[in-house]
Amino acid sequence: MQLQQLSYFLAVAQARHFTRAADALGVAQPSLSKQIRTLETELGASLFSRARGNITLTPAGEALLPLATRILADVDTARLEVQELAGLRRGRVRLGATPSLCSGLLADALRRYHDAYPGIRLLVEEGGSRDLVRQLTRGALDSALVILPLGEDTPLATTPILREDLVVTARVDDSSLPQRPHLRITDLRDRPLVMFRPGYDLREATIGACREAGFEPRFAVEGGEMDAVLRFVEVGLGIAVVPSTVLAGRPGLRGIPLSGDGGRESHGLHRTVALAHRKDVTPTHAAGAFRATLESFVREAAASGGLPAGVRSLLPHAGATGPEVATGTRGLGDDQNLAEPLEFGLRKSIGE
């Protein structure tokens, strides 16, 4: 089995068409077809069903697809790692992050990294935390900022970075919500919610919290990304549960802290953001440099009061050492329940 054969297989699997795959690879279609047939002979199974020009994966092809994706990603990572030994003059970092982080402090951290390492290409994938975990696991990303916890059997190593408060956001002129400093989850009963698409942990956790409080949430609209959800709230379609940081620069929206246990401020709900990478793959030099840059940026912002309202650093002080923690463990810092929003009895963080 050759890497070229796996590359050809992956191209056909993605295009579902031999000619289009050959064009994308810049090779002749007969050559591509020959390599696929050779691969099928070596594996002893057909990888594609070719019925009337409709190309689909066979069960054997479905089984090979994630393995081929991961193998080729690891080979590409190894090649870049060798190149980076020249002193981080060349290379690539594939980073995943949730939309709220992409539009917030991540942009400033990336600017600092780019200034220090202008030869490193930055490829940023924006998505919900669950989607990013899947991409990271199959080797499509080097690192990702995800929401804890992920589960006991996760193949990822994680380092808690931040804690973000959660708020209920509504139009500034919306007077229908209870006039209190903090809202309880039961205050969302029978109110139209604007809900994220599947793939966001914040969606599943919010739905679960409502059900645990004894009611089924009512959706005014669902299926949006972060920007769409906020815009839908701005035009009055409903309210939404979001991280407090996403409201910056949106004067038409206000955020009311979301609490549990009687609405006490000390029990405000939050989510824990962590930097994750695969346990079985040593991060590249470029990815390691990004981690160091991000941690330095967060520490400096926390020390100077430059973090957004509702955000606190979970990193140990500069000079202290803190091991990576297993997903689902408690966060670092004075608050020993940073990764466990106990207010609703949920054993999962709430996040994108």
Side-chain angles (χ1 to χ4, degrees), residues 136-154:
L136 191 56
T137 300
R138 70 170 186 256
L141 297 172
D142 300 310
S143 302
L145 288 163
V146 300
I147 309 305
L148 295 183
L150 305 180
E152 296 297 329
D153 59 347
T154 180

Side-chain angles (χ1 to χ4, degrees), residues 78-128:
R79 177 180 58 80
L80 289 170
E81 179 72 0
V82 172
Q83 291 177 351
E84 289 168 8
L85 294 178
L88 288 177
R89 291 194 297 270
R90 292 184 300 170
R92 175 200 67 190
V93 174
R94 300 169 302 169
L95 176 68
T98 59
S100 61
L101 294 172
C102 284
S103 62
L105 60 86
L106 180 61
D108 294 323
L110 288 175
R111 173 59 185 270
R112 176 180 293 191
Y113 181 81
H114 179 68
D115 289 345
Y117 308 104
I120 304 297
R121 285 192 303 139
L122 293 169
L123 305 176
V124 179
E125 179 71 24
E126 186 179 23

Side-chain angles (χ1 to χ4, degrees), residues 8 14 40 55 57 65 108 110 124 136 199 244 268 275 280 282 316 327 348:
Y8 286 3
Q14 292 171 343
E40 290 176 325
I55 305 299
L57 287 169
L65 181 58
D108 294 323
L110 288 175
V124 179
L136 191 56
S244 59
L275 186 65
D280 63 336
T282 301
T327 303
K348 64 184 289 187

Side-chain angles (χ1 to χ4, degrees), residues 288-303:
F290 171 76
R291 171 176 171 164
T293 301
L294 176 65
E295 292 183 353
S296 174
F297 175 82
V298 170
R299 286 193 182 98
E300 291 177 16

Side-chain angles (χ1 to χ4, degrees), residues 99 127-128 196-204 224-226 351-352:
F196 299 97
R197 65 167 174 79
Y200 280 65
D201 280 342
L202 186 53
R203 171 194 173 95
E204 304 305 327
E225 303 281 357
M226 181 64 72
E352 288 170 340

Side-chain angles (χ1 to χ4, degrees), residues 180-187 258-268 343-344:
R180 296 196 304 267
H182 291 74
L183 297 179
R184 295 183 292 268
I185 196 68
T186 51
D187 291 324
L258 181 61
S259 304
D261 195 14
R264 291 180 293 172
E265 182 176 1
S266 61
H267 285 179
E343 290 76 18
F344 299 148

